[in-house]
Amino acid sequence: MSQRKGEALVPSNLAGVLNEHCSCSTLDREILNKRNFSETGGDRIEHFYSETPSFINVSEKKRIQEILHAIRNAVELPEVKNRILADHEDQNRSRDISGGVFLSLDFHIAKEGPKLIEINTNAGGAFLQVRLLEAQIECCKAARLALPNAETLKEIEEKFYDSFIREWTDNGGTGTPNFIAIVDENPSDQFLYPEFLLFRDLFRSKGISSEILDPRQIERIEDELFFGSRKIDLIYNRLTDFHLSEPSHAMIRLAWTKGKIILTPNPIDYDLFARKTNLSFFSDNEFLLRAGLNRKDAEILKASVPVSQIVSTANAEQLWKNRKRIFFKPKEGFGSKAAYFGGKLTKNKFSEIVQGEYISQEFIPPSKRITSVSGQEMDLKMDVRAYIYRDEILLLASRLYQGQTTNFRTLGGGFSPLYVVPDG
């Protein structure tokens, strides 16, 4: 572990010490390049990965699990579910809503613990993270203790697969689906297309036919969906049109609403968990207690969810006054598009935000991760993503970046393996 001159190590927070002082490279690119990504070209894989691992403490992982349970308990309360799904029909509010495969909780790690920044459906990158973990080498004792072995990584892949089968059976399917379609617009042009290939190959390895499809390749026959002569049983939905409102997606929505296709995640998964306005409910302690949430879960969310509000003309003056402590996000969106830190807003841009559909969120700065590029140390920002299915964390990961929001353009940045180390 490399240490900067003149800086003392503080042993009370091992993960923080490692993040700020350990700039070792742990990525073995030779191992990574042996993986079969021949259909995509190796250059598409290189952008994804940082050579530097990231660290969190055991207590921080435990807190993330507690936050997940608290949110799950909150959305099961009738008053919370009815408020969030107010624009849905009664039968949709009463159904079991899982959140779909690869729901994610995204965090910044503050001194007080993990702070929930965002919830996402169909979060990308989980399978690519597994491939990253397969190509790690030890840089220090902490990394050696935290590195998952081949058996553990195989178990993670099995859990990925099991989540799709659970979605299938919970929605009325029997046995296993015959055909799974992985669906996105122009999929081969998508940044995460290599991950689509990994999922396709996983399904095929289980004896399930699978293809990666653009919606325009799908045909509707009597409300059922087909690719050529093959009936599609389940769609792994990677579309960012979360409500399937675009004309080219209408047949998918119709088949799903008529119960002719199992779609994961689906529009109700998105609305109950990932719509940005939901953060205003999860950060409203008084509302959650009135709705019947137990005090322990309410206190966990109060401490972990930054205060969030729906932006309106009524609160615009106060938000402008406090803008340097606020981050603004569109109610509907993904990938940090059209998100703004209040401290850099012009009056004109703020006026557009007020007239648009936005939420305000208490600004929580990301933690710092030191990395090394060609021997030169760099300060990067770090966020933590928990890929989950129902009540279980499937995988923890980190993303390193510079700039206002996460991206894959930062030299030395990208997906980073996240190691859990002991406290102290």
Side-chain angles (χ1 to χ4, degrees):
M1 183 176 75
S2 62
Q3 179 180 345
R4 288 178 162 184
K5 276 188 176 182
E7 293 184 331
L9 297 182
V10 181
S12 60
N13 178 1
L14 180 57
V17 168
L18 291 168
N19 285 329
E20 293 201 27
H21 297 273
C22 176
S23 59
C24 298
S25 173
T26 61
L27 177 60
D28 187 327
R29 292 198 176 274
E30 185 176 341
I31 295 175
L32 187 67
N33 292 334
K34 286 180 180 177
R35 306 304 300 183
N36 181 20
F37 289 108
S38 58
E39 292 187 52
T40 67
D43 59 324
R44 292 184 66 166
I45 302 302
E46 293 292 316
H47 308 316
F48 294 136
Y49 299 131
S50 171
E51 294 189 358
T52 306
S54 303
F55 302 88
I56 63 168
N57 294 312
V58 168
S59 60
E60 291 166 337
K61 179 183 179 181
K62 180 182 177 183
R63 189 61 162 181
I64 288 172
Q65 185 72 64
E66 290 173 344
I67 294 166
L68 168 58
H69 285 161
I71 287 173
R72 287 279 177 187
N73 290 338
V75 298
E76 286 302 315
L77 296 170
E79 187 173 345
V80 175
K81 186 177 281 189
N82 288 339
R83 179 79 72 88
I84 292 176
L85 300 179
D87 52 351
H88 283 266
E89 297 177 354
D90 289 344
Q91 64 265 30
N92 284 340
R93 295 183 216 162
S94 60
R95 65 192 290 177
D96 176 37
I97 304 169
S98 71
V101 294
F102 297 104
L103 193 70
S104 80
L105 304 184
D106 292 349
F107 297 90
H108 287 173
I109 306 299
K111 289 181 180 179
E112 313 85 55
K115 300 288 187 177
L116 179 66
I117 302 302
E118 204 161 86
I119 302 175
N120 289 290
T121 48
N122 73 10
F127 219 142
L128 292 170
Q129 287 277 1
V130 172
R131 290 292 177 262
L132 175 61
L133 287 167
E134 289 173 343
Q136 295 297 300
I137 55 178
E138 298 171 10
C139 69
C140 60
K141 183 179 179 181
R144 181 170 69 253
L145 293 172
L147 265 174
N149 57 32
E151 183 179 344
T152 300
L153 293 174
K154 185 62 178 176
E155 288 173 359
I156 293 172
E157 285 191 26
E158 288 301 312
K159 287 181 179 180
F160 288 176
Y161 172 72
D162 290 344
S163 67
F164 287 92
I165 301 305
R166 175 84 184 270
E167 287 288 286
W168 169 252
T169 57
D170 284 357
N171 287 279
T174 57
T176 57
N178 292 314
F179 183 69
I180 297 177
I182 302 160
V183 177
D184 203 351
E185 291 281 348
N186 303 310
S188 62
D189 294 334
Q190 295 295 330
F191 184 70
L192 293 178
Y193 178 66
E195 183 170 59
F196 299 175
L197 293 170
L198 290 171
F199 279 107
R200 183 202 64 183
D201 293 347
L202 173 65
F203 299 141
R204 289 179 177 180
S205 74
K206 302 296 185 179
I208 299 172
S209 294
S210 182
E211 299 290 347
I212 302 164
L213 303 178
D214 182 285
R216 287 175 285 270
Q217 294 177 274
I218 297 173
E219 184 181 5
R220 174 187 164 204
I221 302 175
E222 295 183 354
D223 295 332
E224 294 185 326
L225 303 182
F226 287 79
F227 174 60
S229 61
R230 288 182 286 176
K231 178 180 174 293
I232 301 172
D233 299 308
L234 183 148
I235 288 179
Y236 176 20
N237 176 20
R238 297 292 294 245
L239 295 161
T240 53
D241 172 20
F242 302 115
H243 295 112
L244 303 174
S245 56
E246 295 178 13
S248 60
H249 306 153
M251 71 172 70
I252 297 175
R253 184 177 178 94
L254 181 63
W256 167 66
T257 56
K258 289 180 175 289
K260 300 295 185 180
I261 192 77
I262 293 172
L263 179 71
T264 183
N266 62 55
I268 306 178
D269 291 323
Y270 170 78
D271 282 344
L272 185 61
F273 288 95
R275 203 158 47 179
K276 301 295 185 292
T277 49
N278 296 354
L279 294 169
S280 66
F281 302 122
F282 298 144
S283 67
D284 187 341
N285 188 252
E286 292 183 6
F287 165 69
L288 292 174
L289 288 170
R290 286 198 310 271
L293 187 64
N294 67 75
R295 189 162 294 279
K296 178 183 176 182
D297 284 341
E299 288 301 317
I300 287 170
L301 294 182
K302 182 179 180 181
S304 305
V305 182
V307 175
S308 304
Q309 302 178 60
I310 297 173
V311 177
S312 68
T313 53
N315 61 14
E317 183 177 349
Q318 188 65 28
L319 292 175
W320 175 254
K321 180 180 177 181
N322 297 324
R323 66 189 183 281
K324 293 183 180 180
R325 300 193 297 273
I326 294 174
F327 207 83
F328 294 91
K329 299 178 179 181
K331 292 181 185 179
E332 307 281 346
F334 65 96
S336 302
K337 291 188 175 182
Y340 303 97
F341 171 53
K344 296 184 178 180
L345 280 179
T346 65
K347 192 74 172 178
N348 285 341
K349 179 56 70 175
F350 181 71
S351 297
E352 292 177 18
I353 287 172
V354 173
Q355 297 305 316
E357 296 188 325
Y358 271 76
I359 69 157
S360 68
Q361 185 180 67
E362 175 191 358
F363 176 63
I364 307 294
S367 53
K368 184 169 66 174
R369 180 69 182 102
I370 303 301
T371 188
S372 178
V373 178
S374 300
Q376 182 69 36
E377 284 193 345
M378 296 176 59
D379 289 2
L380 299 184
K381 297 174 182 177
M382 178 184 113
D383 75 0
V384 168
R385 168 167 283 185
Y387 295 96
I388 62 177
Y389 183 67
R390 292 187 176 267
D391 288 324
E392 184 179 7
I393 297 173
L394 302 178
L395 181 67
L396 288 172
S398 171
R399 295 175 295 180
L400 305 181
Y401 62 100
Q402 287 179 332
Q404 182 172 274
T405 56
T406 52
N407 58 70
F408 289 86
R409 298 182 298 275
T410 300
L411 186 66
F415 288 129
S416 167
L418 187 65
Y419 297 152
V420 181
V421 296
D423 291 77

